[in-house]
């Protein structure tokens, strides 16, 4: 699904990708909030925004939602950095599949992401 032309997922979907719960995702986000950039890593929708956006997507259960986080690929991968081992790997793969499609070569996408992360670290 998209928001402002950008592929996004809900917090519930992100939690499913990492086989965890929504509370754990919010805990990670709040712990590292300064590392996330609104409009780049996530979008925070108000009730009015949710009502407008929900006209273009079919997501049941949004009627009583007053705030909604939508995660971009970058935000999802930042959340992923908090997980370890197999859980992290499975979550990364689920994110890659969702954001880049099943036809992508996952290993190449992962290598590209790791190279970008390494360049960012080297710039600091």
């Amino acid at each position: 699904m998209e928001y402002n032309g950008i592929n996004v997922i809900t917090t519930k979907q992100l939690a499913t990708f990492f086989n965890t719960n929504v509370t754990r995702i919010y805990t990670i986000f709040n712990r590292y909030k300064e590392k996330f950039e609104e409009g780049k890593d996530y979008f925070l929708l108000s009730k009015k925004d949710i009502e407008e956006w929900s006209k273009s997507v079919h997501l049941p259960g949004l009627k009583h939602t007053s705030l909604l986080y939508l995660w971009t690929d970058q935000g999802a991968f930042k959340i992923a950095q908090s997980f370890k081992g197999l859980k992290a790997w499975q979550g990364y793969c689920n994110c890659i599949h969702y954001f880049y499609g099943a036809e992508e070569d996952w290993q190449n996408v992962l290598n590209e992401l790791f190279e970008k992360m390494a360049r960012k670290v080297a710039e600091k």
Side-chain angles (χ1 to χ4, degrees):
M1 78 191 132
E2 290 186 356
Y3 180 76
N4 288 346
I6 298 171
N7 283 341
V8 293
I9 57 175
T10 65
T11 305
K12 185 175 182 178
Q13 290 172 307
L14 188 57
T16 300
F17 286 177
F18 287 95
N19 194 29
T20 191
N21 57 51
V22 170
T23 303
R24 176 77 174 125
I25 300 298
Y26 287 133
T27 299
I28 292 167
F29 173 68
N30 286 319
R31 183 176 297 146
Y32 302 105
K33 196 168 187 170
E34 73 281 352
K35 307 258 185 214
F36 292 88
E37 185 179 335
E38 188 170 357
K40 185 177 180 182
D41 299 319
Y42 69 96
F43 298 96
L44 179 57
L45 278 60
S46 66
K47 184 146 185 81
K48 181 182 172 201
D49 296 329
I50 295 167
E51 289 172 6
E52 186 63 32
W53 178 69
S54 66
K55 294 175 186 174
S56 65
V57 297
H58 177 69
L59 283 177
L62 291 180
K63 185 176 182 177
H64 301 292
T65 304
S66 58
L67 288 175
L68 180 67
Y69 284 86
L70 297 176
W71 300 92
T72 67
D73 56 349
Q74 291 186 104
F77 290 123
K78 284 182 179 181
I79 292 288
Q81 290 177 330
S82 295
F83 293 96
K84 305 245 187 279
L86 185 57
K87 192 177 222 180
W89 182 256
Q90 289 171 332
Y92 271 116
C93 290
N94 289 334
C95 287
I96 289 167
H97 177 73
Y98 178 83
F99 285 109
Y100 303 109
E103 68 280 353
E104 288 285 339
D105 177 0
W106 290 15
Q107 191 61 49
N108 288 339
V109 172
L110 279 176
N111 288 339
E112 185 178 316
L113 288 169
F114 290 132
E115 286 173 18
K116 284 182 182 179
M117 289 169 47
R119 282 194 298 271
K120 290 268 187 201
V121 169
E123 290 173 1
K124 293 182 178 183

